[in-house]
Amino acid sequence: MKSVRIGAGLGFYGDAWEPIAASIERGGVQFIASDHLAELTLAILQKDRQRDPGLGYARDVVPLLLRLWPLMQRQGVRFVCNAGGLNPWGAAQAVLAAFAAKGLKARVAVVSGDDVLPRLADPAGGAFEHLFTGAPVASVRERLVFANAYLGAAPIVRALDGGAQIVITGRVADAALFLGPIAHAHGWRLDGAREGEGETLDRLAQGLTVGHLLECSGQGSGGNFGAQGHWQSIPDLAHIGYPIAEVWADGRALITKAPGTGGRVNFDTVRQQLLYEVHDPHAYHSPDVVLDMSGIHLEDLGQDRVRLSGARGRAPSDRLKVVAGFRDGYKAEVTWGFSWPDAWDKSQQAQATIRAQLKERRVPHDELYVEYPGLNSAHGPLAPLPAVDALNQFNEIWTRLVLRTPEKAAAEGFGRLFPWMGLSGPAYTCGFTGLHNVSELLGIWPTLVDRGEVEAGVQVAFMGEAA
């Protein structure tokens, strides 16, 4: 039975691309799928776009492809990514311009149509309630700066069917980046999922599971492995290999990695990734299929090979998830260190002084957030602090103060509240950092939009020449 091999690319904007080379050279892959967009990445890209309208895409895609495309060409590997972010056309143009300067060629497909900002910004467009609070979008409508629906695998299949060697999309669901090449290679029907065909749904569920296992790069092959007492056994993380899946036409799959690479693919590392960011294992929603993980069977075959079977699928919703961003004020932060003796008491006195200044100067602010790096900044309330007597015996206490304010001037003035206390406040020896650290905040608004309204406007366009 025919099979296809697909390798993981990046797991987020700025991830390492060197391990992808091993998958291309030694992993026997036909496709690489690369996920550049974490949930908040669009907020980063929006700030880029505010500075330069030609940006708005994940810029790491250009050096990545300059390095890896010659390898892919030699091996006949095709590349799919969502690095287009808010500007997939700009990403494609940047890649092709860089290729032209190096004498490289590629047939590039651009997938667009995920931008739904006009719908959310239209007062007559609907309530678009917040998924968690139920609040209508009207409360932030005037401050919206982007809104993108999560597309599925169908436009990727169209792009690959049309001969694209590189596919650059905007906001496509992470696992759909992998399901697209698998469906293309095996001729799977995606529209059958909405017609409720059991066999079709289960195949798509298997493909979606593969995508979910590969979408986080090295986390699917032993990176970030958190089992107490066992994480130390993961070998050679400095040269980790990203996971690879071999998928057969009936949906059966094998998870592995390129030979000679670090990391580990076994029952435990795959199981950890399977449950990552999953709210309901019985109903993992995607644009293409609703995955039920309850029947999944992972069989550890040894030698970095795990067999995957048993995924079940149901028809997807008639609505798509949207991630929107809105201007949400400004923040300024300062980190201040205090040394023994009485380090904790010094920190508390310094905080009281800052709060008094904020009140006396009537500085507008929504919150002064305080945490203690090294004590509770990783786990918050799940990391109860020791008693005060013990805290005062610590060698040092670091205190991070973050001001959230609707006014930029208030954020810019926050750092000026501190320096005078270097000689006139509680004794300290560790210093300040971030006295001029101000940035605009973008809030995230998750909501739903009718599928038909979005998919009717999805376009696949081709650029460049095949090598």
Side-chain angles (χ1 to χ4, degrees):
M1 184 181 291
K2 178 185 174 183
S3 68
V4 61
R5 287 174 71 92
I6 184 167
L10 304 195
F12 59 91
Y13 185 10
D15 201 359
W17 60 73
E18 290 83 357
I20 305 173
S23 297
I24 297 168
E25 294 174 325
R26 307 196 298 275
V29 298
Q30 285 99 49
F31 297 93
I32 294 290
S34 190
D35 176 19
H36 299 242
L37 302 181
E39 189 76 10
L40 294 176
T41 307
L42 293 182
I44 297 172
L45 301 184
Q46 169 60 22
K47 291 183 178 182
D48 285 348
R49 190 168 65 170
Q50 287 176 189
R51 292 190 293 268
D52 181 347
L55 297 177
Y57 58 88
R59 286 179 284 172
D60 55 358
V61 70
V62 176
L64 181 157
L65 285 173
L66 282 176
R67 166 70 176 85
L68 296 180
W69 184 241
L71 298 178
M72 293 188 205
Q73 280 186 301
R74 287 198 292 271
Q75 301 288 348
V77 176
R78 300 162 83 178
F79 182 79
V80 177
C81 73
N82 59 6
L86 299 173
N87 186 7
W89 285 99
Q93 290 165 351
V95 167
L96 288 174
F99 276 19
K102 297 291 185 179
L104 300 172
K105 293 182 179 180
R107 183 68 163 158
V108 178
V110 179
V111 175
S112 61
D114 56 299
D115 182 1
V116 293
L117 180 59
R119 290 183 175 85
L120 270 68
D122 182 358
F128 295 108
E129 294 91 348
H130 193 287
L131 277 179
F132 306 118
T133 69
V137 76
S139 60
V140 300
R141 179 172 280 132
E142 298 302 319
R143 294 180 281 149
L144 289 171
V145 290
F146 68 83
N148 296 77
Y150 285 73
L151 303 181
I156 295 173
V157 174
R158 285 164 51 194
L160 295 172
D161 287 350
Q165 297 171 296
I166 296 172
V167 182
I168 298 177
T169 78
R171 178 70 272 189
V172 165
D174 303 350
L177 296 167
F178 299 82
L179 179 58
I182 296 169
H184 158 76
H186 291 311
W188 289 353
R189 287 182 55 202
L190 292 168
D191 57 355
R194 268 167 254 157
E195 298 168 10
E197 299 175 5
E199 184 179 351
T200 296
L201 289 165
D202 291 345
R203 280 199 305 263
L204 294 179
Q206 280 283 126
L208 186 75
T209 305
V210 166
H212 180 60
L213 292 175
L214 269 61
E215 70 190 29
C216 293
S217 65
Q219 187 168 279
S221 51
N224 205 24
F225 187 59
Q228 186 175 14
H230 298 280
W231 65 267
Q232 299 93 331
S233 66
I234 304 297
D236 196 15
L237 287 175
H239 304 96
I240 193 169
Y242 288 170
I244 295 169
E246 184 168 6
V247 186
W248 282 264
D250 62 1
R252 290 179 299 116
L254 183 75
I255 310 300
T256 186
K257 63 184 183 70
T261 58
R264 176 75 73 229
V265 175
N266 63 20
F267 174 81
D268 291 316
T269 60
V270 173
R271 175 177 57 171
Q272 174 181 270
Q273 175 59 31
L274 179 67
L275 298 176
Y276 179 67
E277 292 184 337
V278 172
H279 174 69
D280 182 355
H282 298 280
Y284 183 73
H285 287 263
S286 84
D288 301 296
V289 64
V290 178
L291 166 63
D292 181 356
M293 298 182 176
S294 61
I296 285 179
H297 180 65
L298 300 176
E299 182 182 359
D300 195 329
L301 304 179
Q303 298 181 322
D304 293 306
R305 298 174 304 147
V306 173
R307 181 179 291 144
L308 165 69
S309 61
R312 296 291 178 263
R314 300 197 303 272
S317 167
D318 59 1
R319 295 194 291 175
L320 298 175
K321 182 183 175 182
V322 170
V323 58
F326 61 94
R327 294 188 179 90
D328 198 24
Y330 300 85
K331 77 173 179 71
E333 63 177 87
V334 172
T335 300
W336 195 357
F338 302 89
S339 65
W340 180 91
D342 304 323
W344 177 258
D345 287 345
K346 293 172 185 174
S347 170
Q348 302 308 298
Q349 177 59 60
Q351 289 177 50
T353 301
I354 293 300
R355 291 185 188 277
Q357 290 189 88
L358 291 172
K359 182 177 180 180
E360 291 167 6
R361 300 185 185 199
R362 298 181 180 179
V363 176
H365 64 285
D366 300 313
E367 179 184 13
L368 179 63
Y369 174 79
V370 179
E371 66 180 12
Y372 305 95
L375 288 175
N376 70 349
S377 58
H379 298 289
L382 297 178
L385 293 172
V388 171
D389 288 347
L391 288 167
N392 274 322
Q393 295 304 313
F394 281 20
N395 289 337
E396 57 195 56
I397 296 285
W398 286 89
T399 305
R400 178 173 175 256
L401 302 98
V402 184
L403 186 79
R404 187 164 63 88
T405 172
E407 297 186 11
K408 185 177 182 181
E412 292 173 338
F414 185 57
R416 293 194 290 273
L417 302 181
F418 292 82
W420 69 273
M421 282 190 281
L423 295 179
S424 301
Y428 76 102
T429 59
C430 303
F432 301 107
T433 61
L435 291 178
H436 304 289
N437 188 344
V438 175
S439 60
E440 184 180 11
L441 293 173
L442 287 175
I444 295 299
W445 191 272
T447 189
L448 299 172
V449 65
D450 288 341
R451 174 190 292 271
E453 293 182 14
V454 177
E455 292 182 340
V458 173
Q459 295 183 344
V460 178
F462 294 87
M463 305 169 62
E465 301 177 18

